[in-house]
Amino acid sequence: MKMVVFWFFSTFLSHACASKVTVHFLYEGGCVRGYDTVSKRWVYLQVDHFPEYLGYEDIGGYIITRLRSYSKSELIPVRGTLKVGFIVERDGSISYPRIIGRKDVELTPMERDILCIIASMPKWKPARCKGRKVAFLMQILVHINYR
């Protein structure tokens, strides 16, 4: 069974209210902050310069080469698209990975592994607002297809 994973990036702003960010927003010129209820702090949702992945391979390749093999019984409950969120910290490290719209007790083994892989990613180039580094809430859509 072969698995193909595609990654698409977007800012967290469009889905922020529906997932883990309260409706409280602070506007600072061109930047927007929202309160993240997972990390229990204010993080940026819109910035002047978005975070950049600095790995040697693309993110999809990074994830797929680190996923372990799964039995058919472990793969049956996996949905086709996962919304993965995480914070890119001011130093570029990754924190608070989560599957949007899912409770931790509902996660499959593959989803847990994806979160562990996300948490262990190499540092990113951090987001910037008005020239200073800021913590930024990212959302990635992970599309999984089985062959």
Side-chain angles (χ1 to χ4, degrees), residues 28 31-33 41-51 87-92 125-137:
E28 299 174 355
C31 301
V32 178
R33 288 193 303 166
R41 65 187 176 132
W42 290 90
V43 294
Y44 282 82
L45 307 172
Q46 184 70 34
V47 290
D48 301 329
H49 299 284
F50 292 95
I87 296 175
V88 178
E89 298 290 350
R90 292 187 307 199
D91 66 354
K125 182 178 178 182
R128 290 187 172 272
C129 178
K130 298 181 182 176
R132 60 187 175 95
K133 297 175 182 177
V134 295
F136 184 80
L137 189 55

Side-chain angles (χ1 to χ4, degrees), residues 26-123:
L26 293 177
Y27 297 91
E28 299 174 355
C31 301
V32 178
R33 288 193 303 166
Y35 188 78
D36 177 37
T37 57
V38 173
S39 64
K40 296 182 174 43
R41 65 187 176 132
W42 290 90
V43 294
Y44 282 82
L45 307 172
Q46 184 70 34
V47 290
D48 301 329
H49 299 284
F50 292 95
E52 296 177 32
Y53 175 69
L54 299 175
Y56 294 108
E57 55 190 327
D58 68 347
I59 295 177
Y62 179 85
I63 299 299
I64 203 155
T65 58
R66 286 156 179 81
L67 279 176
R68 65 179 178 85
S69 297
Y70 299 92
S71 67
K72 286 186 179 183
S73 64
E74 290 177 309
L75 290 176
I76 290 171
V78 175
R79 295 188 173 104
T81 301
L82 300 174
K83 292 180 186 176
V84 179
F86 56 91
I87 296 175
V88 178
E89 298 290 350
R90 292 187 307 199
D91 66 354
S93 62
I94 303 299
S95 64
Y96 298 100
R98 80 286 306 256
I99 306 279
I100 307 299
R102 304 283 304 276
K103 296 177 183 173
D104 287 341
V105 295
E106 299 172 343
L107 298 179
T108 65
M110 177 186 279
E111 292 167 337
R112 285 191 177 100
D113 284 349
I114 288 173
L115 292 180
C116 287
I117 293 167
I118 294 285
S120 67
M121 284 192 334
K123 288 191 174 187

Side-chain angles (χ1 to χ4, degrees), residues 1-13:
M1 180 177 293
K2 189 173 181 181
M3 178 176 40
V4 180
V5 179
F6 298 97
W7 293 82
F8 296 96
F9 290 91
S10 65
T11 64
F12 207 80
L13 186 57

